[in-house]
Amino acid sequence: MIATALCLPLIVALNGHAPRGNRLANLPADLPVAPVQANELAGRLLSRARDDGLINGCLMIHITGMDGADLRARQRDLRERLALRVRSVVRQSDMVFWMGQDVLTVLLSPQARLTSDAALSLSRRVQAAIEEPVLLDEFSRSFSGAIGIALSTELPLTAGGVDLLHQATRNQKEASRNGRSSVRIGIASHPVQITETTEISITEASDALENGQIVPWFQPQLSTETGDVSGAEALARWVHPKRGLIAPSQFLPLLDMGGATERLGEVILSHSLAAMNQWSEQGLLIPGLSVNMSDAELRNPKLASRILWELDRQNISANRLRIEVLETVVSDGSNPACARNINTLSDAGCRIDLDDFGTGSASIAALQRLNISCLKIDRSFVCHLDRDENQRRLVAAILSMAERLGLETVAEGVESAGEHTLLAQLGCHHVQGFGIARPMPPDQIPDWIRHHQQKIDRPVWPRRNVG
């Protein structure tokens, strides 16, 4: 009888006998649901969607920040609070329950227009609800959620509820590997983050690259000591003549699959150096420009000579170019061409920045062997820095290590004045992020810099010719 009483709410929800407004209340907010029950629930919703010609889906959310020793006694209370927050932003007919200590699941009830766009928008609302600080024993704690999305339209007709949950779990794990607040949606073999539903082919993306539609936009970086613009990062953007701005997460995987990654690097570098010369002609000096180099580019034995030739062709000093390499590339160390390229560029005067620091496993020996000049602290460590003591301690440790090694530091993903201020207090040299400026076309950079210099009450740089 006890077992029947405990399972009755879930059985009622599975069979659809609970009233619409009360259905969410039938699932526990603080205890994980058994996998077999979750599979059955997902299967029932999936069958109902197919029978009615509708679409349903699943959000699988891995919540970071719940494993602290000080939270062990409050786990049930914390899970209940977070589940209720998520329930407040989804539809009443959606199911919200835990499938583990730190994995929250949302089963989306069948609906007519459940597009990828709609699912992504809902995911952002769910993340915002999770990321609001939680007050526990007079102390504020912050959490973040990496979300994997699966939609019934992506599955074969023979798929069941377990397949829907597995698809969402695979995408969630992919999202977690790319940052604490990432969102992933797509088929199992090629999960991609998307912002629109328009299908794009590999050929179309490659043609856009050659036709000049894919160009660099630039995100300014600021010195925390002076407030001046200390650099800018070049980021690839596709400006489509009819569809407008297409997200990099949509076209970069296609260029990679089409073997056009190295060609993309050539285009971005050439356009970026040309932009530097244009800014100089307008009397503005950007001290340094950062460009990202992929694994494929770094493994090309001719990369260093190609970059140095392009610098010479456009009369740009090597010390103004900053080469960003991923920590995973540096930690691998299996290809000697990669090390030779990095060290050749460093010896020529280029600064080598280690991107997404903290997400890979680069050793201190690798930092010294490859002449790394700067660490870019990944945005997942910067998020809620001003509200999360654990984040603060972690970033302080990274900055202390960098200082002892004589390395510069850049924090990316800065989204609030509080994060900016605290990073300056902790000794981070440079910052960038949406809280400072979003990436913008090259022709908007001069006006943005002039406006920024006026805000900090400093004159703009005098006109000069820069080599």
Side-chain angles (χ1 to χ4, degrees):
M1 291 180 65
I2 294 175
T4 302
L6 289 174
C7 293
L8 183 59
L10 184 59
I11 294 171
V12 170
L14 286 169
N15 288 283
H17 295 311
R20 174 185 171 93
N22 296 328
R23 194 167 296 168
L24 286 175
N26 291 325
L27 295 175
D30 58 341
L31 293 174
V33 168
V36 64
Q37 295 171 322
N39 292 340
E40 185 176 356
L41 179 55
R44 293 290 183 91
L45 289 176
L46 184 58
S47 295
R48 189 189 309 166
R50 287 172 178 160
D51 291 344
D52 296 340
L54 303 175
I55 305 168
N56 81 308
C58 175
L59 308 184
M60 197 69 69
I61 312 158
H62 177 253
I63 299 180
T64 302
M66 298 185 62
D67 54 356
D70 57 328
L71 295 177
R72 289 172 186 166
R74 306 292 302 274
Q75 283 294 309
R76 291 187 63 172
D77 176 40
L78 183 57
R79 284 199 298 268
E80 181 175 17
R81 291 199 200 186
L82 292 174
L84 293 176
R85 282 188 180 186
V86 172
R87 289 179 178 180
S88 70
V89 299
V90 301
R91 300 191 310 169
Q92 285 188 319
S93 54
D94 296 336
M95 302 286 184
V96 180
F97 54 89
W98 291 91
M99 284 190 65
Q101 298 300 313
D102 55 3
V103 177
L104 192 58
T105 303
V106 181
L107 281 176
L108 304 174
S109 58
Q111 50 190 287
R113 296 185 179 181
L114 182 55
T115 64
S116 297
D117 250 357
L120 188 61
S121 178
L122 175 61
S123 296
R124 296 306 186 196
R125 294 199 301 273
V126 167
Q127 285 181 325
I130 291 171
E131 291 173 359
E132 278 296 315
V134 177
L135 186 63
L136 293 172
D137 298 328
E138 299 182 357
F139 291 96
S140 177
R141 294 298 300 266
S142 296
F143 305 90
S144 58
I147 302 180
I149 305 172
L151 300 179
S152 59
T153 49
E154 300 167 349
L155 302 175
L157 293 177
T158 56
V162 64
D163 300 299
L164 183 70
L165 294 174
H166 283 175
Q167 175 69 62
T169 299
R170 284 191 288 265
N171 286 346
Q172 173 263 303
K173 290 180 179 179
E174 181 70 19
S176 296
R177 284 193 288 269
N178 286 276
R180 299 182 181 186
S181 296
S182 292
V183 179
R184 289 278 161 167
I185 183 171
I187 60 175
S189 57
H190 297 293
V192 295
Q193 183 174 344
I194 71 168
T195 57
E196 57 179 73
T197 58
T198 306
E199 293 293 333
I200 303 170
S201 69
I202 295 176
T203 301
E204 192 176 1
S206 299
D207 288 344
L209 179 61
E210 296 303 328
N211 294 336
Q213 293 179 18
I214 298 178
V215 295
W217 282 23
F218 301 90
Q219 185 172 43
Q221 299 168 337
L222 299 184
S223 164
T224 57
E225 182 178 357
T226 65
D228 290 330
V229 174
S230 55
E233 181 179 0
L235 300 164
R237 293 294 185 266
W238 182 354
V239 185
H240 195 280
K242 294 182 179 179
R243 301 175 192 168
L245 192 63
I246 297 178
S249 54
Q250 282 197 276
F251 67 83
L252 291 181
L254 296 176
L255 293 176
D256 185 35
M257 288 186 281
T261 300
E262 291 190 67
R263 176 57 181 157
L264 173 66
E266 294 176 5
V267 170
I268 295 302
L269 177 65
S270 177
H271 282 272
S272 297
L273 296 181
M276 292 184 77
N277 280 326
Q278 291 170 3
W279 296 330
S280 295
E281 290 172 1
Q282 297 179 54
L284 297 175
L285 167 66
I286 303 292
L289 182 72
S290 301
V291 294
N292 296 274
M293 291 293 159
S294 67
D295 183 22
E297 290 177 280
L298 289 166
R299 291 174 183 272
N300 184 341
K302 298 180 180 180
L303 174 70
S305 58
R306 176 175 65 80
I307 290 177
L308 295 176
W309 178 86
E310 187 68 26
L311 285 167
D312 182 64
R313 184 179 76 85
Q314 301 212 38
N315 195 28
I316 300 288
S317 299
N319 60 15
R320 296 182 64 201
L321 181 63
R322 301 168 184 176
I323 307 296
E324 293 195 8
V325 298
L326 289 173
E327 185 179 6
T328 50
V329 174
V330 172
S331 60
D332 180 11
S334 60
N335 192 300
C338 175
R340 282 197 298 270
N341 278 324
I342 291 175
N343 288 330
T344 299
L345 291 168
S346 176
D347 292 341
C350 299
R351 193 180 81 176
I352 309 299
D353 292 2
L354 191 59
D355 198 12
D356 293 345
F357 183 76
T359 61
S361 55
S363 66
I364 293 177
L367 301 183
Q368 296 175 323
R369 184 181 73 251
L370 296 173
N371 294 331
I372 301 298
S373 305
C374 177
L375 301 182
K376 290 199 74 175
I377 302 173
D378 185 69
R379 70 188 65 211
S380 61
F381 299 112
V382 174
C383 179
H384 302 313
L385 177 71
D386 54 333
R387 294 182 283 173
D388 190 325
E389 181 61 31
N390 289 334
Q391 293 282 79
R392 251 192 318 274
R393 286 196 292 264
L394 186 58
V395 171
I398 293 174
L399 293 172
S400 177
M401 181 197 71
E403 182 181 15
R404 290 176 181 273
L405 293 174
L407 302 175
E408 283 193 79
T409 49
V410 179
E412 55 186 352
V414 177
E415 296 190 354
S416 71
E419 292 168 354
H420 187 168
T421 300
L422 191 54
L423 284 163
Q425 292 172 351
L426 292 173
C428 185
H429 299 104
H430 312 276
V431 289
Q432 72 178 90
F434 285 179
I436 296 164
R438 291 179 176 269
M440 64 190 79
D443 58 352
Q444 293 181 12
I445 285 287
D447 286 341
W448 187 90
I449 292 180
R450 291 187 181 99
H451 179 69
H452 174 73
Q453 293 297 125
Q454 290 170 1
K455 284 198 302 183
I456 63 175
D457 195 28
R458 292 177 182 271
V460 297
W461 293 298
R463 180 181 296 273
R464 65 173 81 179
N465 293 319
V466 180

